[in-house]
């Protein structure tokens, strides 16, 4: 199987990730819960990973909270922040490109809070920060944007939106699931209050890893309660970070593996992304020249989305799977993006190359797409 589904989960993992995860599993211990050497060593793995991720993403004075994925990080940010405003009018600004990890927590709050949701539509497939500025009201309590759309690959100028958020005094949450590892991100410089990411996509980390970066001065309520290894006599959840949001045993192997993968990705950032973009450039050159193929993605992104006339995205993906190519079909958990594009009925095919793909594999994929398109145009 030739794997082109890296926007869902990155296939390539560095050797350093495997090595440290295996070491952690061989000497498994609960980080910070005991005073014996293995527990202290596990705590050191977590501490080192936390400091590295904060530094890598420009979170100089805030904190990193480890989660099981980006969905959990976004839920913590959205539910934890907005539940602070019970009894008040709450407005949230978001974009048509948001994932269900944003849309569903916001929808769930409709019966809990006096909340209104303002959707910012793209202009010619791009989000204009001026539209966000114009939408802010005195009730706006949170601005949310994905950094890079998982459907179109178009990116948001987070520095421009961050400046708007600062001007209005509104916290700004960014979903970096598709941008982390592919774009350099400086959270403090961009004016981002909350940054959520998965570890298993562009950062080349293990599944089951993710994080939420919280800027200094941004308060959120916990959404999970339990043991933290601190102040255990108290029945009240601690307020100190990171313990306030990390109840239960942390996944030390995944966290240590994420640290190793993040470091490898940072060290190889230019090589990795130059290779991926060269593959996308080949696809963006070839696919529009195939009769019946319609393109939907940004030429500058790390993913390519398209449709073939007379075929659903599931049909195309299934046919490509029969030819040993793994791609993603459907709505990509981003229904409003497909509604905006007019593709909500048949969805789109998404191709997302990775570091360990090759030009020969890309060319083979192009040839198979050509055959599919030709078979339905006869």
């Amino acid at each position: 199987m030739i794997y082109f589904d890296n926007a869902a989960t990155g296939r390539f993992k560095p050797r350093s990730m495997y090595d440290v995860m295996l070491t952690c599993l061989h000497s498994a211990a609960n980080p910070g819960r005991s005073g014996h050497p293995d527990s202290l060593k596990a705590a050191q793995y977590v501490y080192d990973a936390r400091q590295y991720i904060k530094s890598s993403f420009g979170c100089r004075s805030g904190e990193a909270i480890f989660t099981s994925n980006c969905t959990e990080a976004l839920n913590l940010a959205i539910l934890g922040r907005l539940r602070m405003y019970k009894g008040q009018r709450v407005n949230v600004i978001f974009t048509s490109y948001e994932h269900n990890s944003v849309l569903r927590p916001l929808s769930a709050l409709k019966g809990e809070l006096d909340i209104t949701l303002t959707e910012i539509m793209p202009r010619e497939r791009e989000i204009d920060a001026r539209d966000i500025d114009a939408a802010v009201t005195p009730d706006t309590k949170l601005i949310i944007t994905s950094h890079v759309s998982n459907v179109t690959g178009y990116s948001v100028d987070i520095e421009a939106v961050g400046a708007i958020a600062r001007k209005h005094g509104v916290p700004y949450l960014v979903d970096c699931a598709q941008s982390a590892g592919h774009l350099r991100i400086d959270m403090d410089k961009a004016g981002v209050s909350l940054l959520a990411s998965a570890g298993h996509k562009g950062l080349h980390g293990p599944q089951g890893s993710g994080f939420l970066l919280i800027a200094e001065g941004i308060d959120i309520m916990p959404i999970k309660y339990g043991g933290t290894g601190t102040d255990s006599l108290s029945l009240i959840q601690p307020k100190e970070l990171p313990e306030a949001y990390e109840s239960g045993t942390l996944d030390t192997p995944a966290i240590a593996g994420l640290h190793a993968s993040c470091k490898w990705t940072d060290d190889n950032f230019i090589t990795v992304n130059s290779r991926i973009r060269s593959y996308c450039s080949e696809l963006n050159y070839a696919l529009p020249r195939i009769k019946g193929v319609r393109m939907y993605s940004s030429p500058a992104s790390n993913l390519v989305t398209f449709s073939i006339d007379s075929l659903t995205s599931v049909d195309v993906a299934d046919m490509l799977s029969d030819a040993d190519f793994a791609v993603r079909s459907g709505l990509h958990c981003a229904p409003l993006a497909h509604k905006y594009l007019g593709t909500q009925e048949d969805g789109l095919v998404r191709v997302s190359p990775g570091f360990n793909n090759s030009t020969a594999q890309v060319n083979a994929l192009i040839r198979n797409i050509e055959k599919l398109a030709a078979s339905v145009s006869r």
Side-chain angles (χ1 to χ4, degrees), residues 78-136:
I78 293 167
L79 300 176
R81 182 66 187 183
L82 295 180
R83 281 175 175 161
M84 296 177 63
Y85 299 105
K86 283 189 176 180
Q88 301 180 42
R89 290 181 178 177
V90 175
N91 169 255
V92 179
I93 297 170
F94 64 101
T95 80
S96 302
Y97 282 150
E98 303 316 311
H99 191 274
N100 275 336
S101 301
V102 169
L103 301 178
R104 288 178 175 174
L106 290 177
S107 180
L109 288 171
K110 286 182 179 179
E112 186 178 332
L113 301 178
D114 180 7
I115 188 170
T116 59
L117 305 177
T118 302
E119 178 185 352
I120 303 299
M121 303 280 288
R123 298 188 189 189
E124 298 181 356
R125 301 190 183 173
E126 296 196 76
I127 298 297
D128 192 322
R130 292 172 296 180
D131 293 334
I132 294 175
D133 193 14
V136 176

Side-chain angles (χ1 to χ4, degrees), residues 202-273:
L203 293 174
H204 303 97
Q207 290 177 326
S209 64
F211 55 88
L212 177 68
L213 295 174
I214 306 174
E216 186 177 30
I218 299 297
D219 294 325
I220 58 177
M221 295 174 60
I223 63 171
K224 182 170 64 174
Y225 297 82
T228 60
T230 58
D231 199 15
S232 294
L233 283 175
S234 174
L235 302 184
I236 305 300
Q237 188 76 2
K239 296 184 183 300
E240 295 76 18
L241 273 63
E243 291 85 0
Y245 311 118
E246 290 183 348
S247 294
T249 299
L250 291 173
D251 190 342
T252 307
I255 291 169
L258 176 59
H259 179 195
S261 297
C262 284
K263 188 174 187 311
W264 183 92
T265 302
D266 284 342
D267 290 344
N268 296 277
F269 185 88
I270 294 174
T271 302
V272 169
N273 288 291

Side-chain angles (χ1 to χ4, degrees), residues 323-365:
D324 281 335
F325 294 96
V327 299
R328 173 75 184 271
S329 63
L331 300 183
H332 312 91
C333 301
L336 297 184
H338 285 275
K339 183 178 179 182
Y340 162 72
L341 295 169
T343 55
Q344 65 268 41
E345 184 174 345
D346 291 332
L348 292 173
V349 181
R350 185 179 69 193
V351 178
S352 47
F355 175 70
N356 57 338
N357 286 125
S358 67
T359 299
Q361 291 174 340
V362 172
N363 289 334
L365 176 64

Side-chain angles (χ1 to χ4, degrees), residues 6-7 64 67 104 195 198 200 287 296 326-327 329 356 365:
N6 291 277
T67 61
R104 288 178 175 174
L195 187 153
H200 63 97
L287 296 189
Y296 292 85
V327 299
S329 63
N356 57 338
L365 176 64

Side-chain angles (χ1 to χ4, degrees), residues 41 71 142 173 247 254 267 269 293 331:
K41 185 177 181 180
T71 296
L142 189 62
L173 165 63
S247 294
D267 290 344
F269 185 88
V293 171
L331 300 183

